[in-house]
Amino acid sequence: MELLNPKLLLKINQEVKLIANKIGYNNVLIHSEIKHLFFFEFNSKIDLLEKHLQNIKDIFPEFNIWMTSFNYDFTKTGIYNTKEDKSQVGVLNDYFRIFCDWRTTTPVFNFCGNGKYPIDKIHSEKIINPFSHGCEFHYLYESNSLYCHYGSSFSNSTLLHYIENISNKLLYRYSKIFNGIVNDNGIMTKVSLDYHVSPLNPRVEYDWEKLYQDLLKENLIFEYKIFGNVNYITLLSIKNVSDYWINKLKNDPFYFLNEESKKWVIPKVNKLGRGFVLTDFE
């Protein structure tokens, strides 16, 4: 595919920078997927990753860069190594992980970034809820930070799970405990991950298109596309979107779900007279 015109890229980046500085500050959390972002000529994979990373730094010069470095192996192996475990959510994220300032000690839903380390250090036997008060997302909410999809889909927005948890309206996912060890630069700490999981059969599915369109109508999301319909950057304020979604869940705890999921989730919750628990499905 033909490369994007450099002048057009520069123009878009300048617009994104202006919006970013209006709606947030301190940190920007990046979800990335660069396979459709044809911007640069490059000599190697590393050269391409470097150019994309510099592009992000050029757009957000006033922000600490955060990236998701999620790795789901802890749920199978019981071990999370902050130094060695690769990010399983994007090649650019995993490249950034290698030389960032820090990586958080939260199993599965961890982040890496520059600037201040965002959460409390773990201690032995700690129960970690990756989407509770005190988690990485809560830090981003409190600091009025930005959420940015860089080539990735809005449906990758794990911010939704933080909102579910703190809303106290979560009825259709249930708590499951995974015990294991966090190896943080050779320091071994026994922890338990309190992970709210979805039933496997049938799955709980979200209505991403509705959520996306509602945010657009409320001017809470800003998008920039290239080549007609390819996502380049989707940008939102974590605090503003969180507050909006919390209010929606107060009025309708099933607001996030698509119609097919509502057809079986709501009757089951009504029959149980409560939200789902582990023994309902496992």
Side-chain angles (χ1 to χ4, degrees):
M1 180 178 287
E2 184 179 351
L3 296 178
L4 188 69
N5 185 298
K7 289 183 179 180
L8 178 57
L9 178 62
L10 179 61
K11 181 177 181 294
I12 293 173
N13 287 353
Q14 289 172 338
E15 292 177 2
V16 175
K17 188 184 297 187
L18 288 173
I19 293 294
N21 289 326
K22 285 181 180 179
I23 67 173
Y25 52 88
N26 291 320
N27 313 291
V28 57
L29 173 63
I30 308 288
H31 270 273
S32 73
E33 178 55 76
I34 62 173
K35 65 182 179 181
H36 297 303
L37 303 185
F38 300 104
F39 297 159
F40 315 110
E41 294 181 350
F42 58 94
N43 300 317
S44 65
K45 178 180 177 181
I46 297 299
D47 182 38
L48 177 62
L49 294 173
E50 281 285 352
K51 286 177 176 175
H52 274 294
L53 193 55
Q54 186 59 52
N55 191 47
I56 289 172
K57 291 177 180 178
D58 290 342
I59 298 170
F60 302 107
E62 307 298 325
F63 293 81
N64 295 318
I65 305 297
W66 286 36
M67 289 198 181
T68 53
S69 54
F70 300 168
N71 183 299
Y72 298 87
D73 292 347
F74 180 85
T75 61
K76 303 171 186 175
T77 65
I79 298 172
Y80 165 45
N81 188 317
T82 62
K83 195 73 173 176
E84 301 297 334
D85 286 0
K86 293 184 176 182
S87 169
Q88 296 173 335
V89 286
V91 293
L92 185 62
N93 294 47
D94 191 55
Y95 180 67
F96 178 69
R97 169 191 66 85
I98 298 171
F99 51 84
C100 62
D101 292 343
W102 48 260
R103 187 182 189 185
T104 57
T105 50
T106 304
V108 181
F109 295 102
N110 44 78
F111 300 77
C112 55
N114 295 326
K116 179 183 176 183
Y117 186 80
I119 60 174
D120 293 336
K121 291 285 187 178
I122 56 171
H123 55 78
S124 187
E125 311 301 334
K126 183 175 184 179
I127 298 176
I128 299 173
N129 183 328
F131 299 109
S132 68
H133 289 278
C135 73
E136 294 90 335
F137 272 119
H138 188 66
Y139 182 91
L140 292 168
Y141 174 86
E142 290 288 311
S143 59
N144 197 29
S145 299
L146 296 177
Y147 201 119
C148 173
H149 286 284
Y150 183 81
S152 59
S153 169
F154 176 70
S155 62
N156 297 129
S157 300
T158 44
L159 175 65
L160 174 145
H161 299 313
Y162 165 67
I163 304 308
E164 287 176 327
N165 195 79
I166 66 169
S167 71
N168 294 316
K169 296 289 186 178
L170 183 54
L171 301 171
Y172 45 81
R173 297 173 74 95
Y174 56 90
S175 174
K176 186 172 183 177
I177 301 296
F178 296 87
N179 298 309
I181 294 172
V182 174
N183 178 351
D184 186 23
N185 292 302
I187 300 174
M188 306 292 186
T189 307
K190 290 182 179 180
V191 300
S192 297
L193 179 70
D194 184 2
Y195 183 1
H196 282 76
V197 300
S198 168
L200 291 177
N201 188 22
R203 295 282 296 181
V204 173
E205 301 288 348
Y206 296 100
D207 193 340
W208 289 108
E209 184 60 25
K210 178 192 73 176
L211 301 181
Y212 177 70
Q213 291 298 328
D214 284 355
L215 292 180
L216 277 178
K217 290 175 187 176
E218 297 295 329
N219 293 315
L220 290 171
I221 195 167
F222 306 88
E223 65 173 0
Y224 298 85
K225 294 183 180 293
I226 57 171
F227 307 120
N229 62 352
V230 174
N231 292 328
Y232 173 31
I233 281 182
T234 303
L235 194 65
L236 55 90
S237 160
I238 289 176
K239 186 178 189 306
N240 291 347
V241 169
S242 296
D243 289 344
Y244 175 78
W245 276 349
I246 289 168
N247 187 60
K248 283 290 189 180
L249 291 178
K250 284 181 180 178
N251 296 320
D252 176 11
F254 307 104
Y255 167 71
F256 286 157
L257 304 188
N258 67 16
E259 293 303 317
E260 285 302 309
S261 290
K262 287 180 181 179
K263 286 179 183 178
W264 73 267
V265 168
I266 295 175
K268 188 171 183 67
V269 168
N270 289 339
K271 183 177 180 180
L272 292 169
R274 55 165 173 79
F276 296 164
V277 298
L278 179 69
T279 51
D280 294 331
F281 299 95
E282 299 185 32

